[in-house]
Amino acid sequence: VLYKESVGMGTPTPVTPEMERVKRNQEICSSVLYKENVGKATPTPVTPEMERVKRNQEIVSSVLYKENVGKVTPTPITPEMERVKRNQEIISSVLYKENLGRATPTPITPEMERVKRNQEQISSVGYKEGLGKATPTPVTPEMERVKRNQEHISSVLYKEHLAKGTPTPMTPEMERAKRNQENISSVLYSDSFRKQVQGKAAYVLDTPEMRRVRETQKHISTVKYHEDFEKSKGSFTPVVTDPITERVKKNMQDFSDISYRGIQRRVVEMERKRVDQDQENLTG
């Protein structure tokens, strides 16, 4: 403070190219002198004891760091925080792409393709070698229920993140393409069905539990059938009688009487006798 009080007001001077040059030379000289004062060192091998001490130091530093961290209060992630986070990611992506310089594209030669395939195969082999032996576990009904719940939750969250789309009109060309796709899908499905399923029976184990359920279903169906039959027994459905129904009923009754009593045969005989009598009258 006293030093600053004794300092008076100075006159700022512009930084000239000469001053910049002198400053850089001073920095270079300081670096050179610093390196000259450093003597020659003797390299020492890294022993297991030194490795152990180094690991202990790292563990101690980690423990002390965690001890110095105080207690924090968790805060919920609000929609505003989510929006700011997404904006920051978008800004970071844009700035990252702006800082990229121009690159020179190189053609992919057959040799590069071969090396790439070899690397993929080596990675796949190395990954499989690192896998240990696993113990298969049966899929229980509880696991199936949890799996379905997870799928429902994922579907709901996926639909929540969907943005609003712009509807497009369905043109005749789009309708035609849609029908063609459906026809192609139907043909492929039918071919697959004929090759894989058609003519093959699905075998299901006839366990005691399934037999018990089947017998129970039969008893329930029989009881329900008899219950409905007893309720409907002795009842009738009233029908409104109109003139047309009456006329049709009477005609049907007449037809039945004619067929039953043989009236039609007698009418034909009487008609033939009348015709014969008329002929005799005309000739007599």
Side-chain angles (χ1 to χ4, degrees):
V1 174
L2 295 176
Y3 170 75
K4 292 181 179 180
E5 288 180 354
S6 60
V7 175
M9 299 176 66
T11 302
T13 56
V15 179
T16 61
E18 183 65 20
M19 294 173 67
E20 287 286 342
R21 186 182 64 79
V22 172
K23 184 178 179 181
R24 282 198 300 274
N25 291 339
Q26 288 294 330
E27 291 174 355
I28 294 170
C29 293
S30 299
S31 176
V32 172
L33 294 175
Y34 172 76
K35 292 181 180 179
E36 287 179 354
N37 293 331
V38 176
K40 295 182 179 181
T42 304
T44 56
V46 179
T47 61
E49 182 65 18
M50 295 173 66
E51 288 286 343
R52 185 182 64 79
V53 172
K54 183 178 179 181
R55 283 197 301 273
N56 291 340
Q57 288 294 330
E58 292 176 353
I59 295 170
V60 171
S61 300
S62 177
V63 172
L64 294 176
Y65 171 76
K66 291 181 180 179
E67 288 180 353
N68 294 330
V69 176
K71 295 181 178 180
V72 298
T73 304
T75 57
I77 299 177
T78 60
E80 182 66 19
M81 295 171 66
E82 288 285 343
R83 186 183 63 79
V84 173
K85 184 179 178 182
R86 284 197 299 271
N87 291 340
Q88 288 294 329
E89 293 174 354
I90 295 170
I91 293 171
S92 300
S93 175
V94 172
L95 293 177
Y96 171 75
K97 293 180 180 179
E98 288 180 354
N99 294 330
L100 291 176
R102 294 184 178 179
T104 303
T106 57
I108 298 176
T109 61
E111 182 66 18
M112 294 172 68
E113 288 285 344
R114 186 182 63 80
V115 171
K116 184 179 179 181
R117 284 196 301 272
N118 291 340
Q119 287 294 329
E120 292 175 353
Q121 293 171 0
I122 292 170
S123 300
S124 176
V125 172
Y127 171 75
K128 293 180 179 179
E129 289 179 353
L131 292 176
K133 295 182 178 180
T135 305
T137 57
V139 180
T140 61
E142 181 65 19
M143 294 171 68
E144 288 286 343
R145 186 182 64 80
V146 173
K147 184 179 178 181
R148 284 196 300 272
N149 291 340
Q150 287 294 330
E151 291 175 355
H152 295 331
I153 293 170
S154 300
S155 177
V156 171
L157 294 177
Y158 172 75
K159 292 179 179 178
E160 287 180 355
H161 293 309
L162 288 177
K164 293 183 179 179
T166 303
T168 57
M170 186 70 71
T171 61
E173 182 65 20
M174 294 172 67
E175 288 284 346
R176 186 183 63 78
K178 184 179 178 181
R179 284 196 301 272
N180 291 340
Q181 287 296 326
E182 291 175 353
N183 295 334
I184 293 169
S185 300
S186 177
V187 171
L188 295 177
Y189 172 77
S190 299
D191 291 342
S192 176
F193 175 78
R194 283 193 294 270
K195 292 179 182 178
Q196 299 179 7
V197 180
Q198 192 175 14
K200 297 181 181 179
Y203 297 96
V204 181
L205 295 178
D206 191 8
T207 60
E209 181 65 20
M210 292 180 67
R211 287 196 293 271
R212 184 184 65 79
V213 172
R214 189 164 59 247
E215 290 294 331
T216 304
Q217 288 294 331
K218 288 180 181 178
H219 295 326
I220 293 172
S221 300
T222 304
V223 172
K224 182 67 175 172
Y225 171 76
H226 283 291
E227 182 180 353
D228 294 340
F229 176 75
E230 292 294 333
K231 288 181 180 179
S232 61
K233 186 171 64 175
S235 61
F236 61 92
T237 304
V239 179
V240 179
T241 303
D242 54 354
I244 297 177
T245 305
E246 287 290 341
R247 183 176 61 80
V248 173
K249 185 178 179 182
K250 188 175 181 302
N251 291 337
M252 293 302 295
Q253 187 68 33
D254 294 340
F255 291 150
S256 299
D257 291 342
I258 291 170
S259 299
Y260 177 72
R261 298 176 182 176
I263 297 174
Q264 182 69 26
R265 185 172 61 254
R266 285 186 291 175
V267 169
V268 172
E269 291 177 356
M270 291 173 65
E271 183 67 23
R272 187 171 62 251
K273 290 179 180 180
R274 188 181 64 82
V275 172
D276 292 342
Q277 188 177 3
D278 292 339
Q279 289 292 335
E280 291 177 358
N281 293 331
L282 290 174
T283 57

